Amino acid sequence: MPKSIVSSPVIKRLPRYFRFLGELERNGIVRISSRELSERMGFTASQIRQDLNCFGGFGQQGYGYNVPELRAAISRILGIDAGNPTVLIGAGNLGKALTVHMDFNKRGFKLIGIFDKDPQICGTVISELPVMPIEKLESFCEKNNPVCAILCIPKTAAEKLIQRLTDCGIKAFWNFSHYDIRAVDGIVVENVHLSDSLMTLAYGLNNPPEK
Amino acid sequence: MPKSIVSSPVIKRLPRYFRFLGELERNGIVRISSRELSERMGFTASQIRQDLNCFGGFGQQGYGYNVPELRAAISRILGIDAGNPTVLIGAGNLGKALTVHMDFNKRGFKLIGIFDKDPQICGTVISELPVMPIEKLESFCEKNNPVCAILCIPKTAAEKLIQRLTDCGIKAFWNFSHYDIRAVDGIVVENVHLSDSLMTLAYGLNNPPEK
DNA sequence: TAGATTGTTAATCGATTAACAATC
DNA sequence: TAGATTGTTAATCGATTAACAATC
């Protein structure tokens, strides 16, 4: 059980561990040393051992780590099976793509409702979920108690909605609007700025390393 | 002109500066001090001055920074107007969403071609661009010389395509496949793992801070 | 000029890497 | 047991913050 506060760089690496261990497990690999894992993942062996030890001693001296056990442990730490009830706001192209592509169940979430303000879109069905009008947000939340909201709406709309959503009891935001939500109180936030990633790429193209 | 190598944390903050300065400019704000900018952006004033000084002295003692000038400078550093010719591979939901939503022209890129392997999708038109069969990739690249590829395809497909794309002269990858592309040689890469972001959010929900 | 705020150096902080004793 | 590899402490590295002299 994690007692002390684990640093943010470590936490951000956990999903990567989870991914690589999953692949190893699928390939039938049962045992791995920090050195071998480091070569596959591009971390140092030292860092891997440090990271994992934030959560407990999963390895065994002279042996290494048991892949399925370690993966299961990280899964528990991340809360992959929590099935946090989640609503998606904004059923445009991006919202639709996420609904269809993202395997929420295997990532700790369960999508239980989709909302949009456009009457044209309301009533349509995406991945077996009917799109509801945003006016029904409060009554829906009162009944179903979602804890997470995915925002696939424009910046201006987001600014207005956030208070409404926290009033509904939302504790986590996966935020694709361009408005930066500040993580306050007991609220957790992932502000995703795809265009920032794209501009970083532009920088790389525009500024080739010195030879 | 950037001569020395700027550290990666600084580079990753540039798009954020660019965003906030754009908003200030749109609000008609001409002048800003590092202190005031720090309050809006959530950085320290010290860090802002350090970051900007990696690229030159954009400020003026006793005055602060000129917003439009600074924004224009960062725009040049990032290469926002470069219009790097770009192809998108995979015209599924995500590829479509990116094509429609992302303002490539204002982020340093120009989308010039879309490819898919599904004959059903080929021939359809997205944002005025016809989806071409992946077989035509080589001939298209020879003629139009794209430097960037956006990958919206499954992991297995990505593994196979990367060599083909680098052979076509692709220098930058905006990669949404779950395969991690390693940045080698003169290749720049942004591996986007949306599910990693989602799992980080799961961790936050699952591990509330100690009281 | 006086006040404000940068550019830049120095101090601190935190994260990564190296080393090695513990131990399977 | 001997060999291997972890867990963990110590050393290093790099990034952030603080401080202040330079200067508009």
Side-chain angles (χ1 to χ4, degrees), chain A residues 181-201:
Chain A
I181 303 178
R182 299 211 180 192
V184 287
D185 289 334
I187 309 289
V188 287
V189 177
E190 279 285 306
N191 292 309
V192 183
H193 286 286
L194 291 181
S195 55
D196 283 14
S197 164
L198 189 58
M199 286 190 272
T200 304
L201 197 64

Side-chain angles (χ1 to χ4, degrees), chain A residues 2-6 11-12 14-16 18-20 23 26 38-42 55 75-80 82 84 92-98 100-104 106-109 147-150 152 155 159 171-174 176 178 180 182 185-186 188-190 192-207 209-210, chain B residues 2-6 11-12 14-16 18-20 23 26 38-42 55 75-80 82 84 92-98 100-104 106-109 147-150 152 155 159 171-174 176 178 180 182 185-186 188-190 192-207 209-210:
Chain A
K3 265 262 150 175
S4 60
I5 286 153
V6 178
I11 292 164
K12 294 225 181 77
L14 287 179
R16 191 174 165 89
F18 185 69
R19 265 194 288 126
F20 275 80
E23 182 146 340
R26 256 174 274 120
S38 76
E39 280 160 15
R40 291 180 187 252
M41 295 187 64
F55 303 98
S75 166
R76 275 191 301 277
I77 293 161
L78 286 168
I80 287 306
N84 292 296
N93 283 295
L94 181 61
K96 220 180 292 181
L98 289 177
V100 175
H101 271 89
M102 185 56 63
D103 205 339
F104 289 104
K106 291 188 180 165
R107 305 280 180 270
F109 298 87
V147 295
C148 176
I150 304 167
C152 297
K155 188 174 178 173
E159 267 179 275
K171 295 271 174 285
F173 289 96
W174 202 27
F176 290 85
H178 292 216
D180 279 276
R182 299 211 180 192
D185 289 334
V188 287
V189 177
E190 279 285 306
V192 183
H193 286 286
L194 291 181
S195 55
D196 283 14
S197 164
L198 189 58
M199 286 190 272
T200 304
L201 197 64
Y203 178 90
L205 272 176
N206 201 37
N207 302 273
E210 298 290 309
Chain B
K3 266 263 150 176
S4 59
I5 286 152
V6 178
I11 291 164
K12 293 226 181 76
L14 288 179
R16 191 174 165 89
F18 184 69
R19 267 195 287 126
F20 275 80
E23 183 146 339
R26 257 174 271 120
S38 76
E39 281 160 14
R40 291 180 186 252
M41 294 188 64
F55 302 98
S75 166
R76 274 191 301 278
I77 293 161
L78 286 168
I80 288 306
N84 292 295
N93 282 295
L94 181 61
K96 220 182 291 182
L98 289 176
V100 175
H101 270 90
M102 185 56 64
D103 205 338
F104 289 104
K106 292 187 180 166
R107 305 280 180 269
F109 298 88
V147 295
C148 177
I150 305 167
C152 298
K155 189 174 177 173
E159 267 179 275
K171 295 272 175 284
F173 288 95
W174 201 28
F176 290 84
H178 291 216
D180 280 276
R182 299 211 178 191
D185 288 334
V188 287
V189 176
E190 279 285 305
V192 183
H193 286 286
L194 291 181
S195 56
D196 282 15
S197 165
L198 188 59
M199 286 191 271
T200 304
L201 197 64
Y203 178 90
L205 272 176
N206 200 38
N207 301 274
E210 298 291 307

Side-chain angles (χ1 to χ4, degrees), chain A residues 50-68:
Chain A
Q50 285 273 27
D51 283 357
L52 298 179
N53 262 76
C54 293
F55 303 98
F58 299 123
Q60 197 171 77
Q61 280 100 328
Y63 175 87
Y65 298 88
N66 178 293
V67 172

